[in-house]
Amino acid sequence: MKNGNIKNIKKQLLSDNWYTLNKFTYEYQKPDGSWETQYREAYDRGNGAAILLFNQEKGTVILTRQFRMPTYVNGNSDGMMIEVCAGLLDGENPEDCIKKEVEEETGFKVDNVQKVFESYMSPGSVTEILYFFIAEYEDKMKVSEGGGIDEETENIEVLEYSFEKALDMIQTGEIKDAKTIMLLQYAQINTLFS
């Protein structure tokens, strides 16, 4: 940490039940030169990776659908979310992680993945950096049904949509997941389907 406007950082563990929630107390120097004490909580679930699988020839993308409890308790009536394939790094480098996640979740085995950007997903409260990838897929790359791993209780449904339909689903509110919206818009801006 190199910001000279921050000093006397204290960290207090609030919870480590699922991931880690810490409370930070620190002094922050304001633009007028005075110092104030600030308090923030930060949730640390580790870093992750996400990928958009696309097929230029067919004009399609592979997405997943699964239950997400935090969305259910915040107004998503059935708790189901349509998303790109993603997962936590769990000590792996982002590229190896996303290849493994693709096979576990979608059943496709991809070798050529391209990192396109990275992003803090919720910088006000979550430490996570998400690494974003794209990869082309073909039907012959399907090696299993996918669906996730039983011990992770994922119960993932694999979906294949036309790229146009996926973009429309952002407009209709059927896709509300930030990482999915970002990757679909990346594909649109960079004309992956032209």
Side-chain angles (χ1 to χ4, degrees):
M1 295 187 209
K2 301 173 184 163
N3 188 334
N5 295 347
I6 299 172
K7 66 181 183 181
N8 300 326
I9 301 170
K10 295 181 180 89
K11 181 167 105 173
Q12 176 189 1
L13 179 66
L14 299 179
S15 173
D16 65 353
N17 186 38
W18 184 249
Y19 296 111
T20 305
L21 178 62
N22 289 299
K23 178 180 179 181
F24 291 91
T25 304
Y26 56 95
E27 293 177 56
Y28 183 82
Q29 189 174 31
K30 299 190 303 185
D32 68 5
S34 66
W35 291 86
E36 69 182 0
T37 301
Q38 295 187 355
Y39 308 91
R40 297 292 185 272
E41 291 180 5
Y43 189 61
D44 185 350
R45 58 187 302 272
N47 295 328
I51 190 166
L52 179 66
L53 296 176
F54 69 100
N55 183 305
Q56 277 186 325
E57 188 177 315
K58 292 180 8 178
T60 55
V61 295
I62 296 292
L63 300 174
T64 64
R65 184 172 188 261
Q66 64 183 305
F67 178 76
R68 297 296 199 182
M69 181 57 142
T71 74
Y72 183 69
V73 298
N74 193 24
N76 184 5
S77 62
D78 65 0
M80 300 303 286
M81 293 289 287
I82 296 174
E83 308 173 32
V84 291
C85 174
L88 293 177
L89 299 188
D90 294 328
E92 295 179 290
N93 72 53
E95 186 175 306
D96 290 340
C97 167
I98 203 59
K99 288 176 183 178
K100 182 183 81 168
E101 288 293 331
V102 165
E103 191 168 340
E104 287 174 2
E105 291 189 7
T106 72
F108 286 92
K109 185 169 183 64
V110 295
D111 291 318
N112 258 345
V113 298
Q114 177 189 345
K115 182 182 166 197
V116 292
F117 57 91
E118 57 189 67
S119 174
Y120 286 98
M121 292 304 291
S122 189
S125 59
V126 181
T127 61
E128 178 185 36
I129 295 173
L130 197 60
Y131 299 90
F132 289 82
F133 293 87
I134 58 171
E136 288 198 67
Y137 76 93
E138 298 175 13
D139 293 338
K140 67 182 179 184
M141 299 165 105
K142 186 88 165 162
V143 296
S144 74
E145 290 304 307
I149 337 177
D150 289 338
E151 56 265 21
E152 292 184 12
T153 62
E154 293 174 310
N155 302 305
I156 296 168
E157 180 184 355
V158 182
L159 309 169
E160 184 175 44
Y161 291 123
S162 73
F163 179 60
E164 291 77 19
K165 178 173 174 56
L167 286 176
D168 288 344
M169 292 171 78
I170 297 170
Q171 299 302 316
T172 63
E174 294 168 88
I175 292 178
K176 291 184 178 181
D177 175 65
K179 65 187 175 295
T180 304
I181 294 169
M182 292 165 75
L183 278 168
L184 288 170
Q185 289 178 340
Y186 173 89
Q188 184 178 37
I189 291 166
N190 291 278
T191 60
L192 294 186
F193 289 95
S194 64

